[in-house]
Amino acid sequence: MTEDARPQGFDTIAIHAGSAPDPATGARQVPIYQTTAYQFRDADHAAALFNLQEAGYIYSRLTNPTVSALQARLAALEGGAGAVCCSSGHAAQIMALFPLMGPGLNLVASNRLYGGTMTQFGQTIRRFGWSCRFVDLEDADAVRGAIDADTRAIFAESISNPGGYVTDIPALAAIADAAGIPLIVDNTLATPALCRPIGMGATLVVHSLTKYLTGNGTVTGGAVIDSGRFDWSASDRFPSLSAPEPAYHGLKFHETFGPAAFTFHGIAVGLRDLGMTLNPQAAHYTLMGIETLGLRMRRHVENAEHVAAWLAADPRVEAVSYAGLPDSPYQDRVRELYPHGTGALFTIRLKGGYDACTAMIARLKLISHVANLGDARTLAIHSASTTHRQLTPAQQEAAGAGPDMVRLSIGIEDAADIIADLDRALG
Ligand SMILES: *Cc1c(COP(=O)(O)O)cnc(C)c1O
């Protein structure tokens, strides 16, 4: 094996992928290319770019060098063929589904997803004529049973928000493969530091960059990473990728771009027409965040394991949902599929119910009461009195946001200080 063929480690990729010195100036850090447009060399160059015969920069709704650097880094970290960044995690979900779906078509998704995704899939996508069937991913027969001739994807979170439930990605990938449809995994809570879904058989990975990838609560962003492995031309179910595209003189994305088809389509049609573009400032902050992703995730996990174990042993706490606890029902799956840890987000149930939860939140000093997660700071939210307050107690329970439940996103402060704040706040 030559020196160059030696695969780089995760922490090296996190710092170097996509960040060659700037060709114009030699700037070692990726510059923020704060520009809307790029000058064409001549009329032929412009025509070739617009025909997708040559890759290059036209207009920053489509491509921007700072955003491209981030896309290259995310693709490398996830082991994908390409990535498209977008303006939020929710935008990334629409961008992932857009080439696959059409009126009358459906997707099959986990019934334990981030609340915002439940609303996006349960209600909003109906406006496009798409629909979603929510199933328990632990029930393989239910997943298979929900798939029909109009199903175009299975959607799951690697580690799910808010309960920290860990998904058996290889089992789901096998079901998706048998049905000839892609598996999409939201890897926001695990990040590629803890889980690489493409290596387990996923076709597409989506991210909210807003959370751990940036890591400090400064950015709203998203990304879709494509494995490059799905055969979009094997059936007539994915015409956006396999059939002639009228807006590009009948070009067929899969035939022309092969493993880069989904990524090219995402930029040339998705960003062009949906316009959910990430700005270069946000890409810069995320590139800076990713440089320390491996270090931060190791610390997030170490702190979460510590704090969860302390809470589980406390008599004021009824239950702790963290899959990384030694007595978690998911221990075998965690050992096999999530050996570097199960993230840093979990819920606790308090014996004192709703009133104990709101009193605890009111007494927090170090820990912030906010709706975000995946920040360097430890964050807490009582969903029943905030994000889920319009629901009945039964609906709150079904959504994993019961009145006695507080969600914690454990940060990278000193664990002893996080525990001291919780200890005092529990009263
Ligand atoms: C936050 C989040 C999203 C949505 O991301 P935004 O950047 O807020 O749009 C999607 N999935 C998961 C798991 C999340 O935590």
Side-chain angles (χ1 to χ4, degrees):
M1 196 186 268
T2 68
E3 187 69 16
D4 284 336
R6 193 182 157 278
Q8 290 181 330
F10 185 87
D11 289 338
T12 305
I13 295 171
I15 293 169
H16 289 278
S19 76
D22 180 48
T25 62
R28 189 61 195 87
Q29 190 49 278
V30 180
I32 304 171
Y33 286 90
Q34 197 68 46
T35 183
T36 307
Y38 308 84
Q39 179 150 299
F40 306 120
R41 289 194 300 271
D42 51 38
D44 288 345
H45 177 223
L49 290 174
F50 275 93
N51 278 342
L52 302 184
Q53 285 155 346
E54 188 178 328
Y57 298 102
I58 299 176
Y59 187 66
S60 283
R61 171 156 32 82
L62 303 153
T63 46
N64 170 282
T66 314
V67 177
S68 296
L70 175 58
Q71 288 170 167
R73 189 168 300 178
L74 289 167
L77 289 172
E78 288 286 5
V84 181
C85 286
C86 7
S87 53
S88 70
H90 267 13
Q93 292 171 188
I94 294 297
M95 286 279 291
L97 292 173
F98 177 64
L100 315 178
M101 303 289 281
L105 302 177
N106 68 71
L107 76 149
V108 171
S110 168
N111 61 3
R112 279 184 273 198
L113 294 173
Y114 173 67
T117 306
M118 300 292 290
T119 308
Q120 188 186 50
F121 289 178
Q123 294 171 30
T124 304
I125 64 170
R126 291 184 170 279
R127 307 273 186 106
F128 309 144
W130 313 346
S131 63
C132 180
R133 298 154 176 201
F134 295 102
V135 294
D136 178 0
L137 297 185
E138 291 299 295
D139 184 347
D141 287 336
V143 179
R144 275 188 288 266
I147 297 172
D148 66 16
D150 293 330
T151 304
R152 292 295 179 271
I154 300 178
F155 187 99
E157 289 171 0
S158 46
I159 299 176
S160 78
N161 180 353
Y165 158 77
V166 289
T167 301
D168 186 347
I169 297 172
L172 279 182
I175 296 174
D177 282 351
I181 55 176
L183 169 65
I184 307 173
V185 175
D186 180 342
N187 202 28
T188 299
L189 294 200
T191 82
L194 304 182
C195 174
R196 306 208 330 153
I198 288 172
M200 299 184 199
T203 299
L204 300 167
V205 172
V206 293
H207 273 288
S208 168
L209 306 175
T210 316
K211 315 292 171 53
Y212 295 101
L213 287 172
T214 304
N216 47 34
T218 50
V219 159
T220 304
V224 187
I225 298 104
D226 175 33
S227 63
R229 287 201 305 246
F230 196 87
D231 184 358
W232 305 109
S233 307
S235 73
D236 59 4
R237 281 185 276 181
F238 302 101
S240 292
L241 296 158
S242 64
E245 166 64 39
Y248 287 107
H249 310 298
L251 172 143
K252 296 180 182 171
F253 277 90
H254 190 212
E255 189 182 280
T256 308
F257 299 113
F262 194 94
T263 301
F264 264 87
H265 188 277
I267 293 167
V269 179
L271 290 182
R272 185 197 63 187
D273 296 346
L274 301 177
M276 302 167 164
T277 306
L278 187 73
N279 68 73
Q281 284 278 350
H284 165 75
Y285 286 125
T286 305
L287 281 164
M288 297 304 94
I290 290 176
E291 290 193 348
T292 57
L293 179 65
L295 276 174
R296 284 187 291 106
M297 291 313 289
R298 287 193 281 282
R299 172 71 165 211
H300 274 296
V301 167
E302 183 187 302
N303 275 359
E305 287 177 349
H306 211 73
V307 174
W310 180 84
L311 286 163
D314 192 284
R316 294 164 291 187
V317 177
E318 178 73 41
V320 180
S321 73
Y322 192 53
L325 283 172
D327 60 352
S328 147
Y330 299 114
Q331 263 314 305
D332 290 345
R333 188 176 297 171
V334 169
R335 250 190 305 277
E336 189 192 349
L337 301 178
Y338 299 86
H340 302 299
T342 66
L345 187 86
F346 57 86
T347 57
I348 55 173
R349 282 179 181 274
L350 297 190
K351 290 202 174 126
Y354 186 99
D355 293 341
C357 289
T358 51
M360 174 194 154
I361 293 281
R363 282 192 290 257
L364 290 171
K365 285 206 170 93
L366 180 74
I367 300 173
S368 313
H369 182 211
V370 300
N372 193 18
L373 63 95
D375 194 312
R377 279 147 275 278
T378 298
L379 313 175
I381 192 159
H382 180 229
S383 304
S385 62
T386 56
T387 51
H388 292 66
R389 70 172 298 130
Q390 310 303 338
L391 305 185
T392 66
Q395 287 170 322
Q396 289 171 349
E397 205 66 55
D404 61 346
M405 194 177 277
V406 172
R407 184 184 82 181
L408 294 173
S409 171
I410 303 299
I412 55 175
E413 305 100 329
D414 290 279
D417 293 324
I418 302 169
I419 289 173
D421 201 40
L422 288 169
D423 189 26
R424 195 176 27 74
L426 282 167

